[in-house]
């Protein structure tokens, strides 16, 4: 606690000096926490450019921000009971944003380059976004100098082109270019990347040796990763943020073949914020043995024909469904782009989900039922505090996931502007939570009975229980169908007599408005999906939380699957086994 108080006191001194113009703290003071020396360098170069950056009589920037990101990671890869890689890596990048004009109208926005000849589009010399990993302040400022100069010139070019194009355009009421937000100052505590490489290498070997006990498991891999990320952010509004995060992951995946040669894969993933909060060996072994049992059962399972009818989704499967079908379509920037399908644009204040369902996104949550959440963060990539945001309230659309780019419905950020590295931040999910206020919430066994009642009511031969999903994707572009596609990993066909039969070979497809309004019941239990989500601004850590849901209708189409001949000779681990041919 004393270290934390002292650290914040150091930052207060630094901030007061920067604000009042006194001499900057010495290197010795900053050296107590490397983040502060980086903050010092970024602030110095920001002050210089804010005061002097200008080309002739053209506008100077009205806003500049700098972000430094450094990752230190250790990754272990094992297969067949042996270590294939055990690597340490460090890399650092800088993201520079320069805006010309005003908050109401600046250089940003969709650029129409179709009317320009190629030689009219500025290219400039390539400028690297790499930053020194040893955090040398002179080198840091030199990289920022070149990046700022390049970014300003391009921003000025875009602004003048935009102004020129406006001469011929019909004037319209459009949202502001950039939202005004409060300046914040935050220094997070130092975090140590404690990583027992010998322990994790031993675990990785033992995990992959488990797979060799089953001759029908062709291969299994274990990947252990530990990463510490350092982020320092400053802007000309006075915001100064320096924080660190640590994330551990263990991914175990395996491959087998069905009798028809179809490739079958399965995965188990563990995420944890500290080494000491990771799973026990017994938990890992139990999970891996469950994965093997699952793959061997899938190898014998029947392929199911395309299906339309009632289905029950487990809590984790529901979480992935809402992430793909709703979450991405509520990202703020998508509401302004003509090339986006804008599924929910114009539906503000209208019902888009059953009235007993609400959807919130709350990056301020650290955990759910004792499980650490990947989507937790203090401040987004634009220096705005993370905020609990009600997206859908009892079925009614309220707002969007907002960065500092306003749209017609929302003028301010709600702390969801996120980017992985150097791409422009956009509104993204953090911890997305589906809340059910249904008058009656059921246990999972009771929902299965409800499923069979719906099967009987519709006269269907069977219903489906979708227990686990490999992942999914969604198309939000106006050039394609406004549909989602999710790949189930574990699907059971439930017959009217209650018998459950494992099946394979299908993927769930649909359109959001139609599919989600077929939800008629939910469970009491919830579960968490932790992972990473990819979009235009890169892969960011996310979590999704939901109960199980019963739908009166889902559609499953045949999945395209690779079919290959198994290895001709048996594995060296099982030399007496019959070969694949």
């Amino acid at each position: 606690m004393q270290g934390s108080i002292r650290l914040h006191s150091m930052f207060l001194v630094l901030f007061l000096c920067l604000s009042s113009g006194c001499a900057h703290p010495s290197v010795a003071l900053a050296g107590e926490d490397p983040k502060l020396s980086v903050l010092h360098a970024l602030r110095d170069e920001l002050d210089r450019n804010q005061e002097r950056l200008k080309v002739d009589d053209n506008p100077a920037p009205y806003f500049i921000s700098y972000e430094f990101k450094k990752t230190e990671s250790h990754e272990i890869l094992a297969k067949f009971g042996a270590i294939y890689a055990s690597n340490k890596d460090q890399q650092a990048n800088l993201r520079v944003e320069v805006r010309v004009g005003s908050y109401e109208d600046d250089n940003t926005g969709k650029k129409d380059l179709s009317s320009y000849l190629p030689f009219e589009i500025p290219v400039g010399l390539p400028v690297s976004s790499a930053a020194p990993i040893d955090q040398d302040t002179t080198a840091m400022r030199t990289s920022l100098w070149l990046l700022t100069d390049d970014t300003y010139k391009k921003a000025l070019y875009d602004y003048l082109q935009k102004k020129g194009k406006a001469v011929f355009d019909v004037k319209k009421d459009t949202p502001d270019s950039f939202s005004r937000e409060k300046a914040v100052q935050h220094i997070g505590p130092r975090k140590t990347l404690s990583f027992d490489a010998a322990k994790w290498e031993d675990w990785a070997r033992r995990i992959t040796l488990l797979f060799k006990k089953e001759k029908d498991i062709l291969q299994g891999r274990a990947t252990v990763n530990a990463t510490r990320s350092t982020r320092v952010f400053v802007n000309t509004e006075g915001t100064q943020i320096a924080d660190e995060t640590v994330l551990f992951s263990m991914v175990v995946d395996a491959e087998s073949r069905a009798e028809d040669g179809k490739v079958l894969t399965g995965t188990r993933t563990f995420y944890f914020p500290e080494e000491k909060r990771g799973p026990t060996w017994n938990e890992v072994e139990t999970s891996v043995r469950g994965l093997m049992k699952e793959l061997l059962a899938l190898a014998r399972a029947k392929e199911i024909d395309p299906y339309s009818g009632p289905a029950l989704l487990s809590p984790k499967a529901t979480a992935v469904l809402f992430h793909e079908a709703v979450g991405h379509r509520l990202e703020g920037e998508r509401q302004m782009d003509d090339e986006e399908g804008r599924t929910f644009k114009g539906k503000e204040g209208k019902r888009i989900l059953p009235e007993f369902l609400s959807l919130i996104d709350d990056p301020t949550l650290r955990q759910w039922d004792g499980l650490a959440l990947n989507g937790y963060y203090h401040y987004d990539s634009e220096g705005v505090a993370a905020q609990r945001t009600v997206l859908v309230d009892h079925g009614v659309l309220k707002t969007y996931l907002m960065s500092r780019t306003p749209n017609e419905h929302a003028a301010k950020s709600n702390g969801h502007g996120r980017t992985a590295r150097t791409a422009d931040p956009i509104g993204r999910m953090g911890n997305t939570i589906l809340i059910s206020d249904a008058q009656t919430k059921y246990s999972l066994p009771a929902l299965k009975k409800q499923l069979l009642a719906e099967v009987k009511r519709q006269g269907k031969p069977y219903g489906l229980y979708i227990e686990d999903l490999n992942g999914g994707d969604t198309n939000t572009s106006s050039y394609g169908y406004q549909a989602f596609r999710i790949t189930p990993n574990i699907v059971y066909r439930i017959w009217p007599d209650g018998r459950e039969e494992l099946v394979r070979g299908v993927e769930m497809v649909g359109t959001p408005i139609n599919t989600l309004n077929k939800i008629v019941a939910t469970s009491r239990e919830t579960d968490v999906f932790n992972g990473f989500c990819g979009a235009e601004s890169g892969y960011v850590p996310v979590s999704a939380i939901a109960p199980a849901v019963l739908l009166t209708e889902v559609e499953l189409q045949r999945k395209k699957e690779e079919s290959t001949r198994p290895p001709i000779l048996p594995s060296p681990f099982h030399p007496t086994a019959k070969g694949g041919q």
Side-chain angles (χ1 to χ4, degrees), residues 199-200 203 248 271-280 283:
K199 168 194 168 180
W200 294 111
W203 278 35
F248 288 77
Y271 290 100
F272 41 104
E274 298 174 84
E275 191 170 33
K276 63 184 180 182
R277 293 176 62 184
T280 65
E283 289 172 332

Side-chain angles (χ1 to χ4, degrees), residues 208-473:
T208 53
L209 276 174
L210 290 173
F211 291 115
K212 305 322 300 175
K213 295 180 180 180
E214 291 289 348
K215 61 181 178 59
D216 292 325
I217 302 292
L218 297 185
Q219 67 171 324
R221 301 189 311 171
T223 305
V224 181
N225 181 280
T227 299
R228 178 173 64 181
S229 301
T230 301
R231 186 268 295 259
V232 180
F233 178 88
V234 299
N235 68 26
T236 48
E237 296 169 330
T239 288
Q240 300 182 123
I241 297 170
D243 53 21
E244 298 173 57
T245 58
V246 174
L247 183 63
F248 288 77
S249 67
M250 180 189 298
V251 180
V252 183
D253 55 81
E255 178 185 315
S256 185
R257 295 281 196 282
E259 293 180 359
D260 57 7
K262 297 292 175 60
V263 177
L264 304 172
T265 60
T267 304
R268 293 290 187 271
T269 305
F270 304 87
Y271 290 100
F272 41 104
E274 298 174 84
E275 191 170 33
K276 63 184 180 182
R277 293 176 62 184
T280 65
W281 171 254
N282 286 341
E283 289 172 332
V284 172
E285 183 179 16
T286 299
S287 181
V288 172
R289 291 189 185 280
L291 173 58
M292 289 193 291
K293 183 178 178 181
E294 177 184 294
L295 281 174
L296 296 174
L298 281 171
R300 299 187 298 269
K302 295 179 181 177
E303 283 194 313
I304 190 175
D305 293 326
Y307 170 87
S308 176
L312 173 62
L313 273 64
S314 74
K316 191 169 288 189
T318 303
V320 175
L321 170 65
F322 271 80
H323 176 96
E324 296 294 348
V326 183
H328 280 294
R329 287 173 167 78
L330 294 182
E331 293 165 346
E333 278 81 356
R334 301 195 191 283
Q335 315 312 313
M336 302 184 297
D337 191 342
D338 291 337
E339 294 183 3
E340 289 286 337
R342 298 183 288 183
T343 304
F344 299 117
K345 182 176 172 60
K347 297 187 180 294
E348 301 87 1
K350 299 177 182 177
R351 191 174 71 82
I352 63 170
L353 294 175
E355 63 182 2
F356 57 86
L357 293 178
S358 298
L359 191 69
I360 69 171
D361 197 280
D362 189 356
T364 68
L365 283 179
R366 291 176 180 266
Q367 59 183 24
W368 186 270
D369 286 342
L371 181 67
L373 299 178
N374 274 18
Y376 164 74
Y377 58 89
H378 283 289
Y379 295 91
D380 71 6
S381 298
E382 295 179 302
V384 180
Q387 300 167 36
R388 181 184 186 274
T389 303
V390 178
L391 301 168
V392 181
D393 185 15
H394 291 86
V396 176
L397 176 61
K398 291 297 183 180
T399 192
Y400 301 97
L401 297 159
M402 296 299 297
S403 67
R404 293 188 66 173
T405 301
N407 62 33
E408 293 173 4
H409 181 72
K412 302 282 286 182
S413 170
N414 48 37
H416 284 83
R418 305 183 69 191
T419 182
R421 286 189 181 274
T422 59
D424 293 336
I426 65 171
R428 300 286 297 277
M429 288 171 273
N431 295 320
T432 309
I433 308 165
L434 179 67
I435 298 172
S436 171
D437 290 324
Q439 191 170 10
T440 303
K441 298 177 188 176
Y442 301 90
S443 66
L444 213 51
L447 275 179
K448 288 183 179 179
K449 291 181 179 178
Q450 294 271 341
L451 170 66
L452 291 178
E454 186 64 26
V455 166
K456 183 178 180 180
R457 189 186 71 81
Q458 294 187 26
K460 297 289 184 179
Y462 55 82
L464 294 180
Y465 174 51
I466 301 175
E467 182 178 273
D468 189 37
L469 300 171
N470 277 338
D473 59 77

Side-chain angles (χ1 to χ4, degrees), residues 536-547:
E536 291 86 341
S537 60
Y539 279 87
V540 296
V542 296
S543 300
I545 302 150

Side-chain angles (χ1 to χ4, degrees), residues 61-126:
Y62 79 91
F63 175 87
I64 304 173
S65 71
Y66 293 155
E67 185 178 47
F68 165 85
K69 284 185 179 178
K70 178 182 177 182
T71 59
E72 304 161 74
S73 62
H74 193 152
E75 184 167 277
I76 295 167
L77 169 65
K79 295 190 292 185
F80 311 116
I83 301 300
Y84 274 58
S86 185
N87 300 319
K88 290 183 179 180
D89 181 58
Q90 292 188 70
Q91 52 183 302
N93 292 93
L94 294 166
R95 181 173 64 85
V96 171
E97 182 175 20
V98 177
R99 289 175 176 259
V100 176
S102 66
Y103 286 90
E104 293 73 27
D105 184 23
D106 66 20
N107 55 286
T108 62
K110 192 170 181 61
K111 301 173 181 63
D112 179 13
L113 301 179
S114 59
S115 61
Y116 304 145
L117 295 173
F119 58 80
E120 292 180 306
I121 303 173
V123 177
L125 295 174

